Amino acid sequence: MTSASGLEGRGRLRTTTIVIGAGHAGLAMSWCLAQRSIDHVILERGEVANSWRTERWDSLRLLTPNWQSRLPGYGYEGDDPDGFRTMPETIAFIECYADAISAPVRTSTEVTSVRRSGDGYEVATNRGVWQCQTVVLATGACNISQVPAVAEAVPSAIATLTPMQYRNPRQLADGGVLVVGASATGTQIADEVHRSGRPVTVAVGEHVRVPRVYRGKDIQWWMDAAGVLDERYDEVDDILRARNVPSLQLAGSPERRTVDLNSLTSIGVKLIGRLAGINGGKAQFSGSLRNQCALADLKMNRLLGTIDEWASENGYDNKVSPPHRFEPTEVEGSPPLGIDLTRGEIRTIIWATGFRPDYSWLHESVLDHKGRVRHDGGVVEAPGMYLMGIPFLRRRKSSLIDGAGDDAHDLSTHLASYLGHRTSVPRPERQVLSR
Ligand SMILES: Cc1cc2nc3c(=O)[nH]c(=O)nc-3n(C[C@H](O)[C@H](O)[C@H](O)COP(=O)(O)OP(=O)(O)OC[C@H]3O[C@@H](n4cnc5c(N)ncnc54)[C@H](O)[C@@H]3O)c2cc1C
C-alpha cells in the first residue's frame, strides 16, 4: 500500500492518530479521519484484509448480501446486489476500498506494544516506534479461535482443528467428524463436511436460528429495514449479554439456502447436546438439546413477529407474501448423552466454539479480568483510545462490514473533539466509488 503520512526523523515516527488494523473497520475509521483532516497512519501486520486472506476456509462466502457491504463513501453497484461475496471477492472489495480512499496503510507492520507516553501513546512495531496522541484499536474481534478446556482430554488418535485451521474437507481423514458448536461457522462447516461423505455429528449449545429468506426477502433486508441492526448499545437491557450472543445461524450461497439444524438433519447429520466434558476417552453431552432448540425456535418466531409488525405498519403487507412460521427444529426422541471417542467412530473434532480478540500486545491497563477492553461504546477507558469492530460495540450491526461506517463516524467525532478539532463532518452519504 501507499506510504503513510507522518513525520519521520531519526528515532520515533510521529503522527496524530494511529489506527491498528487494515480490515474494513480500520479503513472506515481512516476515511472519517481524512474527512476531518486528522493526520494518521494505519499499521497492518499483514496486508489489507489480512483476516479474510489468511484466516477463513475456502468455500466461505459472506452471509451478508452484496448490497449490505456499505462503507463510508463506498457501496455496491454491481448487477447482483442480493448475491454473497466469495473470499477472493471480499478481499478485492476491501482492497479496492483502501485504494479508493488512498488509505495510508503500512503493511507488514505488526504492533507489538501500546503504552501511555507523555500526553499520548508510544506504539512499538517490528518496524520502528511511533508516537501519537490518539490510537484506534481496529484489530478485529476474531483473532483467536476459542477452544474449550475439555479439548485437553481428547484422545491423541483424534485430529482436532479450529475453523481458522480448517480450509476444506480434503484436509480431514475419512470417517466421522464431531463439530462442536452450531452457530454460523459450525453449521456451515458441518454441511460441507457431511456432503463430502464424512458422517457428521454436531454438538449443539446456545444458537440463534433465522431463515435465509422470509416472506420473499432476505432476513438481513428485514432486520436492516425494521431497524433491528441499528439498535444501540445503550438501549439494550444487558449489553454484556448482548455482546456474547452467538452469531446468526446463516450462510451465503447462490441458491440462498437456509443452513440450519433441520437442513442438516435432512441430509443425515446427527445432532447431540452441548459438549459437557471428556472423561476416560468418553465425551459427555448435556441433555439440554431439545430445550436449546425450542428456545432458538421461540426467539426466531419473536424476531419474525417483530418483522411482521413492522411490515404491517409500513405498508409491506400487500407487497410481500403473507406471514408464516417455519417447522420447529426436529430433535430425535432421546439423543445419546455420550460418544466413546476411543472406538474410532469419530476421527476429527472441529471446534466451532467461537472466536475472541487478541490484545496481548496492549500494555495499557484497559483490559478486564476476561481480557476484554473496557470501553463505553468504543470510547476506551484510557484518554484518546478508541475501539472498533467488536460485537455490539455501539450498535447490533457493529461487527458487520455494514456497521463500521456509523461507528467510525461517531467515534471519530469523539476523537476530534478530544484533539480539540472543531470541524463537524456530516454522516457519510453512501456515495458509490466502485463495485
Ligand atoms: C468466519 C467469519 C465470517 C464472517 N462473515 C461476515 C459476513 O458475512 N458479513 C460481515 O459483515 N461480517 C462478517 N464477519 C464479521 C466481521 O466482518 C469480521 O469479524 C471482520 O473481520 C471484522 O472487521 P475488522 O476490520 O474489525 O477486523 P479484521 O478484518 O479482522 O481486521 C483486523 C486487522 O488487524 C490486523 N492486526 C491484528 N493485530 C495486529 C497487530 N498487533 N498489529 C498490526 N495489525 C494487526 C489483522 O491482520 C487484520 O488485518 C465474519 C467473521 C468471521 C470470523
Side-chain angles (χ1 to χ4, degrees):
M1 279 303 307
T2 50
S3 173
S5 58
L7 299 175
E8 295 180 38
R10 255 192 245 136
R12 286 188 187 194
L13 303 153
R14 288 178 190 277
T15 188
T16 306
T17 300
I18 286 188
V19 178
I20 312 174
H24 69 263
L27 295 170
M29 177 55 87
S30 172
W31 189 89
C32 292
L33 295 174
Q35 294 294 304
R36 295 173 187 279
S37 305
I38 296 174
D39 188 39
H40 67 283
V41 296
I42 307 175
L43 304 181
E44 166 56 54
R45 64 180 169 188
E47 292 176 64
V48 167
N50 190 52
S51 307
W52 301 103
R53 286 174 201 277
T54 59
E55 295 170 0
R56 312 280 192 252
W57 60 97
D58 299 346
S59 66
L60 181 66
R61 284 175 180 262
L62 290 189
L63 50 74
T64 40
N66 291 336
W67 60 262
Q68 204 181 11
S69 291
R70 296 171 291 203
L71 286 166
Y74 203 66
Y76 184 77
E77 206 196 23
D79 54 10
D80 187 19
D82 297 324
F84 302 94
R85 286 193 173 93
T86 60
M87 283 307 97
E89 287 165 351
T90 305
I91 295 161
F93 164 73
I94 296 175
E95 255 183 342
C96 287
Y97 183 54
D99 283 345
I101 65 172
S102 303
V105 184
R106 299 216 160 181
T107 54
S108 306
T109 305
E110 175 153 18
V111 171
T112 51
S113 147
V114 174
R115 289 176 206 279
R116 190 92 186 125
S117 161
D119 62 353
Y121 292 93
E122 179 195 273
V123 177
T125 78
N126 58 334
R127 296 180 150 204
V129 178
W130 287 80
Q131 179 71 33
C132 61
Q133 285 167 268
T134 48
V135 178
V136 179
L137 316 174
T139 45
C142 305
N143 310 116
I144 299 175
S145 292
Q146 244 167 202
V147 174
V150 294
E152 304 265 325
V154 173
S156 57
I158 295 184
T160 62
L161 257 89
T162 68
M164 290 168 96
Q165 294 164 331
Y166 173 79
R167 287 292 171 272
N168 57 59
R170 292 189 302 282
Q171 252 176 307
L172 312 181
D174 287 339
V177 177
L178 174 65
V179 175
V180 183
S183 293
T185 298
T187 49
Q188 289 180 35
I189 293 179
D191 183 75
E192 173 168 273
V193 171
H194 193 82
R195 287 173 194 277
S196 77
R198 293 162 181 83
V200 170
T201 302
V202 181
V204 180
E206 186 191 355
H207 59 278
V208 184
R209 181 184 177 198
V210 286
R212 178 75 270 176
V213 177
Y214 180 56
R215 300 180 69 183
K217 290 195 170 283
D218 195 277
I219 193 70
Q220 294 283 1
W221 184 89
W222 285 115
M223 290 197 295
D224 182 56
V228 175
L229 296 174
D230 284 320
E231 197 178 358
R232 284 178 54 98
Y233 77 107
D234 44 10
E235 288 168 358
V236 293
D237 291 338
D238 183 350
I239 186 59
L240 273 186
R241 160 89 190 120
R243 285 183 177 142
N244 283 308
V245 168
S247 61
L248 303 184
Q249 226 174 40
L250 263 186
S253 70
E255 310 78 32
R256 320 185 64 69
R257 275 198 304 129
T258 288
V259 177
D260 62 7
L261 299 181
N262 280 351
S263 81
L264 291 179
T265 49
S266 75
I267 59 169
V269 171
K270 290 203 162 54
L271 305 184
I272 202 162
R274 188 172 184 279
L275 177 63
I278 300 176
N279 218 329
K282 295 195 175 57
Q284 295 142 356
F285 299 91
S286 146
S288 65
L289 176 61
R290 187 173 292 281
N291 285 346
Q292 293 284 6
C293 294
L295 194 60
D297 290 349
L298 184 82
K299 287 184 179 169
M300 173 177 70
N301 289 336
R302 229 185 264 157
L303 172 67
L304 300 183
T306 304
I307 288 173
D308 291 337
E309 219 171 277
W310 180 88
S312 287
E313 284 167 4
N314 290 276
Y316 273 88
D317 277 342
N318 296 329
K319 297 183 196 154
V320 295
S321 54
H324 64 94
R325 293 294 176 263
F326 296 85
E327 287 295 315
T329 305
E330 256 184 65
V331 178
E332 72 173 278
S334 6
L337 296 176
I339 297 179
D340 187 344
L341 297 175
T342 60
R343 284 217 183 143
E345 198 185 318
I346 300 291
R347 303 286 309 281
T348 308
I349 296 179
I350 300 178
W351 303 108
T353 33
F355 302 93
R356 64 185 168 86
D358 175 15
Y359 298 119
S360 53
W361 43 269
L362 184 55
H363 297 121
E364 264 304 294
S365 51
V366 293
L367 301 182
D368 68 13
H369 65 289
K370 289 197 165 169
R372 296 172 299 211
V373 173
R374 288 196 307 270
H375 69 98
D376 179 9
V379 180
V380 179
E381 285 183 19
M385 188 180 280
Y386 299 87
L387 179 64
M388 285 282 297
I390 68 150
F392 231 133
L393 181 83
R394 296 186 65 79
R395 297 171 176 81
R396 193 177 292 280
K397 65 183 178 187
S398 284
S399 63
L400 298 179
I401 293 171
D402 200 42
D406 284 343
D407 289 359
H409 178 272
D410 295 353
L411 292 173
S412 63
T413 303
H414 192 289
L415 185 152
S417 110
Y418 174 80
L419 290 172
H421 282 231
R422 295 271 175 264
T423 354
S424 109
V425 172
R427 202 167 281 276
E429 291 297 318
R430 305 283 182 207
Q431 171 202 351
V432 172
L433 294 176
S434 159
R435 292 178 174 225

